[in-house]
Amino acid sequence: MKAKTAEAATRTDSALLLDAALESIPYGFCVWSDSFRLVMWNEHYRDIYGFPQNRVKRGMTLGAVVKLSAELGNHPDQSPTEFFEAYKQLLLNNRSGARAKVRELVAGGRTLETAHVYSPGLGWVVTHEDVTEEIVSSEIAQRRKRELERQNIRLDAAVNNISQGLCMFDPKGRLVICNQPYARIYELPDHLLKPGTPLDDIVAHLFEHGMSAGGTMENYIRWRREMIARGEYGKNVHELNGRTILMQHHPMKDGGWVSTHEDITEQGQQEARIRHMARHDALTELPNRVQFLEEMAASEAAIARGEKVAVLCIDVDHFKAVNDTLGHAIGDKVLKQVSARLWGTTRETDILARLGGDEFSLLLKPIEKPAEAAAIAERIIKTMASPFAIDGHQVVIGASVGIAMAPADGDTTDALMKNADLALYRAKSEGRSTYHFFEPGMDAKIQRRRVIESGLRLALARNELRLVFQPLMGLKENRVTCLEALLRWDHEACGGTIPPTEFIPVAEETGLIVPIGEWVLREACKAAAGWPTNARVAVNLSPVQFKNQRLFETVQAALYDAGLPATRLELEITESLLLAESEPTLQTLHQLRALGVRISMDDFGTGYSSLSYLRSFPFDKIKIDRSFMRDLESKGDSLAIIKAVIGLGQSLGMSTTAEGVETEEQLNAVREQGCNEVQGFYFSPPLPPMEVHELLKAEVAPPLRQIS
């Protein structure tokens, strides 16, 4: 008898808890047990059938409720017995968990729609809705049905169909209901899933099977009881069988509670992965700029204590060419191997990061003296100099390194990074594949270089570029036979005229030499076309311009637009153009020569293997570098070299021009050896276009100067 009383009490408490949890449902709601007894209901249920409050009691049989309903005028189309048998059979036929719907006629001509679903261990959950008005208006009826469907779906989700484990306990800590995910997450046996199971029994089982909640089982139970006693929300993360589970405790007004349980193992792994990705480069898995700067900032305290660190900025040389010629897929593989090689040069305490693109940084700590940083920089340059074998390609790149020492070169992250970058820029400007320490004054030089670069990008649009022309005197003709077009740039931001030796390398490095070179070519041809004599015009071409596949068409268009015969144009190239022995380069040179353009080798004798270049292409002219003129009096071998070059040119059918002739003695020396042309300040400095015109106009009458 006591057992039955306890069981009835459990059912009563369970019903109250479920009533509290589902009180917000705006429909009549009741639960029938497997034995067809009324377990729980809400006020909407009583109201919809007109049941007096004192006539409906927990535990009433289905037959008693049907009889009471009939007394109140409900179900007038059926006798109580007929309705009871039909309704009972309807419930028995629906134990699959599916939702079934029927309509009932009740007092006042109203129509109710009931929907029931069977839940094992609980019984039939039934909702009741007055659909009288909805029958009149089908549109309203459909909308209300959909809302009812949504409410029923929510009810299902609360019980079984949510991903989280869900359980409800009464104020005495006994299980009222739980869903399948709860049982699955904890792998609980069936006897611990029955209503009435104490929370302590479930917790004891979990701790026996390896659950860890950051303390002992007693501590965990004590914490749960404190949450229950205070009626407060609480949460706990614990481990079980290698899984991480988040438990959240939600108190209820009657002293019971609902708890949710979520397996967050994968979520934790994803969050860890996201945290890793936020601070690491996706391609190389090295720390990224964010983490590197954090490491730098963390080192500031050590620097303040007097410890020394070094920051190395590393740039991969010629990497853009790899991407342009072999594609980004190969480029990515190169970067992976680069990161592996760089990592191999570091020490255990160093931090290597990829900042982006082909830029890397290395934080050396601790470090005693600059020589240690230099040694690591040398290792980096050496290891990067070896070819990379990528998918059948031999990729040759290199590395330039800039070094800033703390605290000498700065004691903050910003200062050290800036100064290491300035040192890197110096290393790159000195020919790459080298390293350079930061030096005071670098900032001003770099700023000037950046001003030059930014100004150069706008120089054409602002009409800041101009040409001057330096005459070449034909010794046999005793007149100006050619004029070399020389580029000048007037830029106020840099204090007036900038030397070509300063801005031409910047133009070549940035690629701006291509549009600037085309402008020079067009302006030079246009100027020569208006000269009063047939003197040729010489234009220097940069090796960078030969990377433009339309160079031949550009030259052809400049000649055509100016109306200048091709035979009056000379193009001067340097030996560096032929270093790569590029077939497309030689092909372009042959095309230009076939057009009638003369090709000259400028600065002959300053390269690596000049004689081999003379064999690779039939030049029209050799220009002897001015350094031999300058050393003519101080170095005896200079005259021998000049003599050899002039003789070589004569034997190969090439004319020769001596550059840098500034004295009569130099003139006499090269004329005696049979030089064809001379160029230098002895005859004329570079002249503006108007003075060139006057000079050539004067030549039509008496010669400018009799050379005898």
Side-chain angles (χ1 to χ4, degrees):
M1 187 66 176
K2 291 182 179 180
K4 291 183 179 179
T5 302
E7 182 178 356
T10 300
R11 285 198 301 271
T12 301
D13 291 340
S14 301
L16 287 173
L17 291 170
L18 286 175
D19 268 349
L22 303 171
E23 187 61 37
S24 61
I25 296 179
Y27 308 104
F29 168 81
C30 68
V31 177
W32 294 100
S33 70
D34 289 340
S35 57
F36 300 103
R37 290 183 176 275
L38 188 60
V39 177
M40 63 180 66
W41 64 92
N42 63 3
E43 291 185 10
H44 292 296
Y45 173 72
R46 287 191 295 101
D47 293 343
I48 206 165
Y49 284 103
F51 294 150
Q53 184 173 358
N54 61 351
R55 297 290 301 275
V56 179
K57 300 179 180 179
R58 182 173 283 102
M60 285 182 67
T61 65
L62 176 61
V65 173
V66 170
K67 181 179 179 183
L68 174 62
S69 181
E71 291 175 359
L72 296 171
N74 296 317
H75 318 119
D77 55 337
Q78 292 177 289
S79 69
T81 301
E82 290 173 340
F83 182 85
F84 171 77
E85 293 298 336
Y87 194 74
K88 179 178 179 181
Q89 192 60 46
L90 183 68
L91 296 179
L92 289 173
N93 290 341
N94 184 30
R95 288 175 171 268
S96 64
R99 182 175 294 102
K101 296 180 182 179
V102 294
R103 285 184 175 175
E104 304 173 8
L105 186 62
V106 295
R110 294 177 295 117
T111 301
L112 304 183
E113 184 173 83
T114 66
H116 61 270
V117 62
Y118 181 76
S119 179
L122 183 61
W124 288 275
V125 178
V126 188
T127 57
H128 308 259
E129 181 187 12
D130 188 333
V131 295
T132 306
E133 294 182 2
E134 293 183 11
I135 294 174
V136 177
S137 173
S138 60
E139 182 178 347
I140 296 176
Q142 289 300 318
R143 186 168 63 251
R144 294 293 297 276
K145 287 178 182 179
R146 287 195 296 270
E147 180 61 27
L148 177 61
E149 186 69 22
R150 284 194 293 270
Q151 292 291 345
N152 287 332
I153 289 173
R154 291 170 190 163
L155 177 61
D156 268 352
V159 177
N160 249 337
N161 297 327
I162 59 174
S163 60
Q164 294 180 335
L166 177 70
C167 58
M168 180 184 292
F169 286 84
D170 65 20
K172 295 182 179 180
R174 296 172 299 188
L175 181 66
V176 176
I177 190 172
C178 65
N179 65 359
Q180 292 177 3
Y182 173 76
R184 184 171 60 251
I185 287 173
Y186 291 108
E187 299 179 359
L188 293 171
D190 291 342
H191 72 276
L192 292 178
L193 302 175
K194 294 180 179 179
T197 302
L199 171 65
D200 290 1
D201 291 356
I202 298 174
V203 172
H205 172 85
L206 294 177
F207 271 89
E208 288 174 4
H209 287 79
M211 186 175 110
S212 171
T216 64
M217 179 181 71
E218 291 75 16
N219 291 337
Y220 178 75
I221 292 177
R222 186 181 306 113
W223 172 78
R224 290 295 300 268
R225 287 175 177 169
E226 289 175 356
M227 291 296 102
I228 295 167
R230 291 198 298 263
E232 294 179 352
Y233 165 82
K235 64 180 179 179
N236 175 268
V237 176
H238 45 262
E239 306 284 336
L240 179 64
N241 299 329
R243 311 295 292 176
T244 303
I245 302 166
L246 171 64
M247 187 283 297
Q248 299 187 71
H249 174 96
H250 303 272
M252 296 173 63
K253 292 181 179 180
D254 66 351
W257 70 89
V258 173
S259 62
T260 58
H261 306 258
E262 183 179 5
D263 187 335
I264 60 171
T265 307
E266 293 183 1
Q267 177 183 335
Q269 293 171 346
Q270 291 174 354
E271 290 175 352
R273 178 61 179 165
I274 290 172
R275 288 194 297 271
H276 177 84
M277 291 174 63
R279 285 171 168 75
H280 287 79
D281 174 55
L283 178 64
T284 64
E285 289 295 327
L286 291 175
N288 62 10
R289 181 183 295 273
V290 172
Q291 182 169 341
F292 187 78
L293 294 180
E294 288 177 353
E295 294 284 351
M296 288 280 295
S299 298
E300 291 181 6
I303 296 172
R305 293 193 300 268
E307 297 182 20
K308 296 179 181 178
V309 303
V311 179
L312 278 64
C313 283
I314 307 162
D315 194 72
V316 180
D317 297 333
H318 313 301
F319 180 72
K320 184 178 184 300
V322 175
N323 271 343
D324 292 345
T325 57
L326 300 179
H328 289 275
I330 297 294
D332 286 348
K333 293 181 179 180
V334 169
L335 288 174
K336 288 182 179 180
Q337 289 198 20
V338 165
S339 65
R341 290 193 187 183
L342 291 176
W343 185 83
T345 66
T346 64
R347 307 168 304 176
E348 186 176 354
T349 57
D350 299 336
I351 305 295
L352 174 67
R354 181 188 177 208
L355 303 187
D358 59 354
E359 300 176 23
F360 295 80
S361 277
L362 179 60
L363 175 62
L364 304 180
K365 59 176 187 176
I367 192 168
E368 294 299 326
K369 49 189 178 180
E372 296 177 37
I376 292 176
E378 288 175 352
R379 287 206 301 269
I380 290 172
I381 293 168
K382 182 177 180 181
T383 191
M384 292 291 290
S386 299
F388 291 75
I390 309 288
D391 293 352
H393 299 281
Q394 284 287 102
V395 179
V396 179
I397 50 178
S400 300
V401 183
I403 307 171
M405 300 291 298
D409 299 331
D411 55 8
T412 66
T413 298
D414 290 344
L416 289 169
M417 289 297 292
K418 174 186 175 183
N419 291 339
D421 188 54
L422 291 173
L424 170 63
Y425 185 83
R426 171 65 67 84
K428 292 168 65 176
S429 66
E430 290 182 353
R432 303 177 185 269
S433 293
T434 187
Y435 69 90
H436 208 290
F437 282 91
F438 171 77
E439 297 173 358
M442 275 186 177
D443 195 10
K445 295 177 182 177
I446 300 303
Q447 289 300 330
R448 178 174 172 82
R449 194 272 184 195
R450 288 174 177 165
V451 169
I452 288 175
E453 180 179 337
S454 61
L456 206 53
R457 295 183 183 278
L458 300 173
L460 282 175
R462 292 175 175 174
N463 296 317
E464 294 178 345
L465 300 178
R466 59 186 174 87
L467 293 182
V468 294
F469 300 87
Q470 186 170 31
L472 280 69
M473 296 295 296
L475 296 180
K476 181 180 179 181
E477 296 85 351
N478 198 37
R479 62 177 175 82
V480 176
T481 53
C482 183
L483 293 101
E484 181 179 0
L486 301 172
L487 182 61
R488 297 292 183 264
W489 180 27
D490 301 317
H491 189 47
E492 293 183 2
C494 288
T497 302
I498 302 174
T501 53
E502 190 173 2
F503 74 80
I504 292 296
V506 176
E508 290 182 322
E509 184 177 331
T510 58
L512 293 171
I513 195 65
V514 174
I516 291 175
E518 181 176 346
W519 179 87
V520 170
L521 183 65
R522 289 183 173 276
E523 291 298 310
C525 289
K526 190 187 304 181
W531 292 340
T533 71
N534 289 328
R536 300 183 302 276
V537 63
V539 177
N540 292 276
L541 289 184
S542 164
V544 178
Q545 291 176 263
F546 277 83
K547 295 180 181 179
N548 180 9
Q549 297 180 354
R550 295 189 54 81
L551 177 60
F552 174 76
E553 288 78 5
T554 300
V555 174
Q556 198 174 33
L559 291 169
Y560 177 81
D561 293 343
L564 184 72
T567 54
R568 289 188 59 196
L569 175 63
E570 286 188 5
L571 296 177
E572 298 185 4
I573 65 172
T574 60
E575 298 173 14
S576 60
L577 175 64
L578 302 175
L579 276 174
E581 296 183 358
S582 169
E583 184 61 34
T585 296
L586 291 175
Q587 183 178 351
T588 300
L589 288 173
H590 281 290
Q591 284 180 312
L592 291 169
R593 197 163 186 268
L595 187 65
V597 175
R598 291 168 57 87
I599 307 296
S600 302
M601 176 175 280
D602 198 12
D603 302 332
F604 184 78
T606 59
Y608 298 96
S609 53
S610 302
L611 296 180
S612 66
Y613 299 145
L614 295 180
R615 295 178 59 192
S616 65
F617 183 79
F619 290 91
D620 295 287
K621 179 192 290 187
I622 303 172
K623 297 189 75 174
I624 305 171
D625 188 68
R626 67 183 64 250
S627 61
F628 296 106
M629 292 295 108
R630 188 170 55 247
D631 298 336
L632 192 59
E633 296 179 3
S634 60
K635 295 183 179 180
D637 57 355
S638 291
L639 181 59
I641 294 174
I642 292 172
K643 180 179 179 181
V645 172
I646 294 174
L648 179 64
Q650 292 173 343
S651 63
L652 294 176
M654 303 175 186
S655 64
T656 52
T657 298
E659 297 180 301
V661 176
E662 298 181 359
T663 66
E664 187 173 356
E665 289 76 13
Q666 292 172 341
L667 170 63
N668 292 333
V670 296
R671 183 169 56 184
E672 288 175 3
Q673 302 304 324
C675 186
N676 301 103
E677 289 177 327
V678 290
Q679 177 181 2
F681 278 78
Y682 180 68
F683 298 100
S684 175
L687 303 173
M690 289 301 296
E691 292 186 23
V692 169
H693 194 274
E694 293 300 320
L695 172 66
L696 296 178
K697 184 177 180 181
E699 277 196 343
V700 176
L704 175 68
R705 176 184 294 192
Q706 184 68 31
I707 302 176
S708 57

